[in-house]
Amino acid sequence: MLNQDCFLSKNWMGSKETYEEAKWVMIGLPFDSTCSNRPGTRFASNEIRYASYGLEEYSPMLNKELNSTSFYDAGDLNLPFGNPHDALFIIKNCANNIINDNKFIFGVGGEHLVSLPLIQAAYQKYPNMILVHFDAHADLRQEYLGQKLSHATVIRRVLDDISSNNLIQIGIRSGEKEEFLFMNENKTLCQTNDEIIKKLNEYNLNIPIYLTIDLDVLDPSIFSGTGTPEPGGMTYKELIEKLMLFKNKNVIGIDVVELSPHYDISGVSTVVAAKIIRELLIGFT
Amino acid sequence: MLNQDCFLSKNWMGSKETYEEAKWVMIGLPFDSTCSNRPGTRFASNEIRYASYGLEEYSPMLNKELNSTSFYDAGDLNLPFGNPHDALFIIKNCANNIINDNKFIFGVGGEHLVSLPLIQAAYQKYPNMILVHFDAHADLRQEYLGQKLSHATVIRRVLDDISSNNLIQIGIRSGEKEEFLFMNENKTLCQTNDEIIKKLNEYNLNIPIYLTIDLDVLDPSIFSGTGTPEPGGMTYKELIEKLMLFKNKNVIGIDVVELSPHYDISGVSTVVAAKIIRELLIGFT
Amino acid sequence: MLNQDCFLSKNWMGSKETYEEAKWVMIGLPFDSTCSNRPGTRFASNEIRYASYGLEEYSPMLNKELNSTSFYDAGDLNLPFGNPHDALFIIKNCANNIINDNKFIFGVGGEHLVSLPLIQAAYQKYPNMILVHFDAHADLRQEYLGQKLSHATVIRRVLDDISSNNLIQIGIRSGEKEEFLFMNENKTLCQTNDEIIKKLNEYNLNIPIYLTIDLDVLDPSIFSGTGTPEPGGMTYKELIEKLMLFKNKNVIGIDVVELSPHYDISGVSTVVAAKIIRELLIGFT
Amino acid sequence: MLNQDCFLSKNWMGSKETYEEAKWVMIGLPFDSTCSNRPGTRFASNEIRYASYGLEEYSPMLNKELNSTSFYDAGDLNLPFGNPHDALFIIKNCANNIINDNKFIFGVGGEHLVSLPLIQAAYQKYPNMILVHFDAHADLRQEYLGQKLSHATVIRRVLDDISSNNLIQIGIRSGEKEEFLFMNENKTLCQTNDEIIKKLNEYNLNIPIYLTIDLDVLDPSIFSGTGTPEPGGMTYKELIEKLMLFKNKNVIGIDVVELSPHYDISGVSTVVAAKIIRELLIGFT
Amino acid sequence: MLNQDCFLSKNWMGSKETYEEAKWVMIGLPFDSTCSNRPGTRFASNEIRYASYGLEEYSPMLNKELNSTSFYDAGDLNLPFGNPHDALFIIKNCANNIINDNKFIFGVGGEHLVSLPLIQAAYQKYPNMILVHFDAHADLRQEYLGQKLSHATVIRRVLDDISSNNLIQIGIRSGEKEEFLFMNENKTLCQTNDEIIKKLNEYNLNIPIYLTIDLDVLDPSIFSGTGTPEPGGMTYKELIEKLMLFKNKNVIGIDVVELSPHYDISGVSTVVAAKIIRELLIGFT
Amino acid sequence: MLNQDCFLSKNWMGSKETYEEAKWVMIGLPFDSTCSNRPGTRFASNEIRYASYGLEEYSPMLNKELNSTSFYDAGDLNLPFGNPHDALFIIKNCANNIINDNKFIFGVGGEHLVSLPLIQAAYQKYPNMILVHFDAHADLRQEYLGQKLSHATVIRRVLDDISSNNLIQIGIRSGEKEEFLFMNENKTLCQTNDEIIKKLNEYNLNIPIYLTIDLDVLDPSIFSGTGTPEPGGMTYKELIEKLMLFKNKNVIGIDVVELSPHYDISGVSTVVAAKIIRELLIGFT
C-alpha cells in the first residue's frame, strides 16, 4: 500500500483536507487575456501554491500558525483564454456555489479582471458591503482600448453595482486625469493609515468588507514580477501594516491578483505574494 | 537644422522611405490574447525590427542585398487585447487597404491567429491561391477551450473558405488525434523536400502562394522563444531550405508569427526570426 | 457545492484517479544534495507535472493517447536534504511497497542518485533483469569527493548487486579514464542503434528491463537545464528513437532524472522532459 | 491607402510630429565603449522609448499630461563603438545644431561620457550655467585605466571648462579618496534637500541650469539595470523629490544616462527610467 | 619573462600577497548541501571575489582604504557535497590551523551551516566570547527534516557549547513558534540599534565578539540572490549601521553567508555582498 | 600553518604551477570595447577558468588527460576599456615576452580584436606561418563604423602583414558582399572537411599553424552566449572534428574568442568554451 503521509501535499500549505470542513475556500484564477502590458499572471496561483512550502507555518507578527486557520485550497479553475466573458461567467458560477454554502472566498489571480465576478458574487450576498481596493492603478476607466471588460476598467465595472461611498482606494499612484478627478470628487482615495482608520470609522462597526489586492500596489523594488510595475509604491512592511488595519473587522472576501511570476526569475515576487497570503490567511480565516 | 542622416532609422533595415514606392508592405501585429500556453508574442514585431540592424544587409545564400528589395515597414498596428474579434477586424481592414493598392503584405506576428485576416484578405483577391503552412502544430481544431477563434483553430478557420486541396502543411508534429486523421485523409501534410516539390508540381506553375510561417516549426534548440516549444523540429538550415523551394513561385503574401522574445533572454530567437525575415525579404520581395 | 470538474487536475496529465486502478505508479523524487556542479533538480518533478498540461494527450509517433495508459501520479516524496542515506531509505521503502502491490514504478528525479533505491527494489523482484543506462556520464566511480553515495557513483553502486553483463550504457561521453577502461573491458557501452539491437538480441526475449534515463544524455542545445551539461550529445529525435528500441520489450521500471529547471528559464528543458515522459508513458505503461 | 492612425507611433509617447514645432529635442545616445564594469547602456534609449507606451500620459504628481509638453523625439544617433573621440564629436555637432536653433536638448544615454559634449554645447551658449550632477559616483578622476575620456572622468572633464563653483553634486556615495577630498574642498556635494535649496539660493534666481542624471544614483533595489550598482542609494520617491526642487528654475538642458536594460530582465529599471523621463518632460519641457 | 604586474590579481581586492603577513585570513566555503529551499550558495565565494574588483578601494563611510587593512585571501576550501559531517570536519581543521597561528578568520559562505565549525574553533580559543547573529531566520531548531546538522539548526548547535547569555540575535523575522518562544525567554533578540547598544553594555568592554552574518537579514528588494528570501528585512543602510555598532569592539571572527548568486542575474546581490565585506574588512581588519 | 592542498586552485584545471615549466602559456584577454552588437566578452576568460573545474580531466575522444599537457595559466591581462590602441599594445608586449621565451601562446578572449596582436607576434617569429580562421563572420572589412581597429576588421588587419595565400577560413556564413567577393577571389574559404584537408596538403608538412577560433562559428543552438549569434552554424561535434584535422600539425599559437557569458544564463556556452579549450589543450599542448 502507498503511504500518503510520505508524500508532499498538492494543496496550499495548511489547507484543510476537504471543502466541507473549511470556512474559507481558496480558488486559483489563472487568466490574463486582457493584460495590456506584460501578460503571465495565469501562472501565479500554481507558483504561489508551490512557494507556500518555502514559508514557515508560524507568523511572528500574528503569533499564530497556519494550522489554526480554516481554509480549503480548491485548486485552479479551468478558464478559456481570449474570452473574458466566458471566463468571468465560469468564475461567477463557482463563486456563487461557494457563497451559497455559506463560505467565504479567497481568490488568487490572475489579472485584476478576475476579481470582478468574485466581488459581484459577494455583493449579492452582502449588499451593504464596502470594497477596499489596494492598487497602484485606479482601474476606473469606462473602457480601455475599446473594451469594457479589462484589467484597467475593473473597479469602474464594480461601480456599476456598488456605490462609490462604499469604495476605499489605497496606494493608487497612476491613472488618467479623469480617474484622479473621480477619486477626488468621490473621496475614495486614502493614502495614510490615519485616513484609512478615519474612513473606516464612518461605517457601521460590523459592516462586511471585501479586500481586493492588486499586488502592484507594492513598490517594484520588492515586487518586480508584475505586468505594469509602477515605481513609488509601498514597501512590504507598509502594505502588511495597512492590511492589518482590517484585522478585527468583518472581512467576507479577499482576492490577491497580478503576480506575473516569470518576470521575476529570482522568485522573490512569488515569495512576497505567498507570504502576504499567509498573513491574510492567518489573520482573516 | 537637424541632420537626420546622423540618426538610426526606426524602420526595418532596408525599408523604403515611403509606402508608395514599395511593392510589399510589412505590418507588425502585436496581439497574443488567445495564447493558451505562454503569452508574449505581442512584443515580437518591435524586437525583430530592432534586431534587424544586427544583421548584414547581404545574404550569401541568395547573393543579394536587402537594398535591392522593395518593401516598406509600416510599423505596428494598434490592436485591443482581450478581444480577438475586434483585433481581427482591424487587421482585416488594414490588409484590404494594402491589397487594394495592389501591394503584397508581409505580416509579422503576434500569435498565429493574426494570420487569419491576412489570409482571408489575400484569398478575396486570389481565390485560387494555395496556402503553405509551416508549423509544429496542426492548428486544425474546430474549437479550443470553447473558443472558435484561437491560435489553435486558425487553419481550421481558414478552411471555412479555402479548400483543403489548396493547403500544404509542413513540419506538423503535434496535435489531437482528429487533426492527424484530417491531415491523413486530406493529404495536406508534406514532411520531406521531395514531397513538397511533388505536391507543388500538381498545381498550375503560376498559382498564387501564401506562406504562413509559425516559427515553432523550428526545433526549440534554435528557437526557444515561443509559447509552445515542441521538441523534434527542423534546424534553421532545414527550414530555410524548405522555404527556398518556393523562391521562383508566385508568392503573394507572407506572415511570420509566434516569436515570444522574452522567453529567450539570450536574444537568439529574435535574431533567428529577423534572419529568416531577411532571407524572405531578399528572396521574395 | 463545489464542482470539481471546473478545476484543473493537480496530477500529471492523464493520471488515473486512484492508486488502485493503475498498473504503473509515478513518484516524484525531489532530491539533489550530492550534486557536485549546479544543484536544483529537486524542483523538477513539480515543474514537469505542471508542464504536462502544455502538451497534447496524443502522440503522433505512437498514434495513441495518454488516456489509454494506466498510471497513477502519486506525487512527490518528502525527502530530507543533506542526508543521502535517509533519503535513499525513504525511497526504497516506498518503492518496495509499490512493487509488492505488483505495480511498476515510474520515477521522476531529482539527481541520479535517487535511481539507486528504485533499481535495487526492482532487482529484488526481478533478479535477472537488465539495466539500460542513458547518460552523458559513466557514473561508475568508486567514490566521488570521498563519498560512496553520489550522483557520480550511482551505476557503480548498482553493480554491487547486478552483474555488468546485465548493464547496457548508451550515450556516455564523459568520465574518468578508469570508467572508460571499465566500459571497454565489460563491453557495457552501446553507441549506435545497431549495437543496442545486437546487444538486446543476446538476452532472453522476455527478460525484464529497467530504463534509467539521465536527461543530460541529450545535447545541451536542446536540454540546457541540467547541472552538468556535456556538449556533443543526442538530439531529441535520436534519444526518442533509441528509447523506442525497447518498446515491445518487458519494461518493468523506468526513471527519468537530472532536469534542473531553473537553469533553463525558457522552459524548453522542462517541456523536453515532459514530452519524453509522455512518450514513455504512452509507449510503456 | 494606408491609415497611419491605426499604427503605433515609433517616437516617445507624446512627442511632437516635427522637430520644428518643439521647444525641446530628445536625442538617444547609444554608446558604452568606456564602461569598466558591465556594458550594455547602448540599448537603453531604444528600450525606454518602447517602454514609454506602458506609462500613463498623466502625472498625478504634477497634475499635467504629456501632451501639454513641447518636445520632439529625434531618435538615436548613429555612433561608432570603440572610439570615444569620434562618438563625442558626432554628439557635439548634433547638439550644436539643435542649440543653434534655440532649442533645448534632452539626452538619453548611453554611458555617462555621452553627457560631456551635451554639457559643453550648453556651456558655450550659457557660460554662466550651473551643472547639477546626480550620481552614485563622483566621476572626478583625472584619468581612468590610463584614459582621459571615460565614464569615470566625465565630471572632471567638464571642470576643464566650468568652475567648480557652478557644480552641485547629489547622491555621490562612491569614489576614490582624492575625489571625496575634492568634493569636500570645493563644497560641491549636497546630500539633503535642505542643502540643495540652500545652495541654489546662493545663485541668481534665473541662472541657467543643466541637469545630468546618472540613474545609478538610485538604490539598486529599484534600479538593478546598471553597470556599476552601488548599494545605499536613493529610493525612487527621494530622487523625484530632489529633481522637483528644480521645477520652477531655468532648466536649459537635461540628460539621463546609465540604464543598462539587459541586466534587469524584469524590465523594472527600464520602466523607472521611462517614468523619471516622463516626469522630467512634464515638469520641465 | 612574464610581467606579473600586467595581470589582474586572482585574490580578493586588497589581499596581502602572503598568509604570513596578514592578521586576518579570508577563506571561501563553497558548500550548500543541506539547503532546504533553493541551493546555489556554493558559487558565492568565487563570484564575490571577482566582483570585488568592481568596487572602489576607498570607503567614504569609514574614510579609509582597503590597502590599509591586513587580510589574506586564502581561496576556497575543497569541500565534499552531500556529506555535511566531512565538510564541517575539513572546515574545522582549517580554522584551527589559522587560529593556532594567532590569526583571525573571515569566512565567506556557502550556506549558514559552514559557520558552525568557524564559531566552534573561535570558541575554543575565546571561551568567553559572544556570538552576534544577523539573520532573517532564527536557525534554532533542534532538527530539520530529521537532520541535526542543517542550515536551519546551526545556531541551536552553537548553543550546545555556548550559553544563550552570550548570544545576540538581530533581524530575525521568521521561524517556528518554539524558536520565537526561545528567543523571548532567553532575551536573545535585539531589533533596534538602542537594544543592541544596551545589550552590548551588559558585557565586559573588551569581550571577544564573533559576527555571523546571514545576508538574508537584508530585505529581498536589495538582496534577492538567496535561497530563502524573507520580505520585511533591513535596507542596506540599516544593516551597515548595525554592523558598525561593533566597530571599536574586540571582533575576533566574522563570517558572511547565504548569497546564492545565480538567483539574482542582475548581479546586484553579489555586489551587495562584496561591498558589505569591503566595509567589514576596512572596519575590522 | 595553512594547508594549501585543501584549497581549490585559482588557475585553469591542469595548469602547471609555474610559468617556467610550461611549454604553452594561457593568457586571458578581457576586452570588448569595439563590439558593435552585444558586449560582454570581457567576462569570458574568468568564467571559463571557473567552469573548467566542472569538466573531467580526461578526454575520451583523445584518450588522454589534462595533467599530461604542458601549459601555465598566467591569468587575465589588465586592459583599458574604450581604447583599442592601448589595449592591443599591452597584449602585443606580453605576447612578445612569452614568444621570446620560446613558449607558445593560448589566448582566451575577449572580442576578436584581441587576436590581432597575438597573431602579429606569432608572425614575427614564424613568418611563413598560416592562419586558420574559424568564424561565422568574414571579419574582412577595411573599416567598420569608421574605425580601422574593430572586431569586424581583424582579419583584414592581419592581411596587412600576412598573404591571403596563408589564410584558411572555415565556417564563414555572414558578411558584406565585398567580403564574400574577396574570399571567392582569394579562395580562402573552406567549408567541408575535404576542402580543409586538400588545402592543408598544399602547404609544407611542417608549416607553422596559428588557430584563431571565434566561437560564434558554432550554431547559436549550442552557443547562444555571444554578441552576434548567426543561425546556420556548426554543431559542437562538427567543430571539434574540424579542429582535430590540425592535430598532428605544427600548431604554434591558438586563441579562442567571443564568448559573452552573461547572454547565456544557463551556463552552457561557458561549458562549451571550456570543453573546446580542454580538447585543444589536450590535443595541442
Side-chain angles (χ1 to χ4, degrees), chain F residues 76-97:
Chain F
D76 292 342
L77 271 178
N78 191 1
L79 300 170
F81 298 107
N83 193 321
H85 282 93
D86 287 12
L88 298 192
F89 182 80
I90 291 170
I91 300 171
K92 185 77 181 296
N93 244 13
C94 175
N96 283 337
N97 288 343

Side-chain angles (χ1 to χ4, degrees), chain A residues 108-123:
Chain A
V108 180
E111 61 158 89
H112 209 165
L113 187 58
V114 302
S115 304
L116 181 57
L118 301 183
I119 296 168
Q120 288 171 332
Y123 178 68

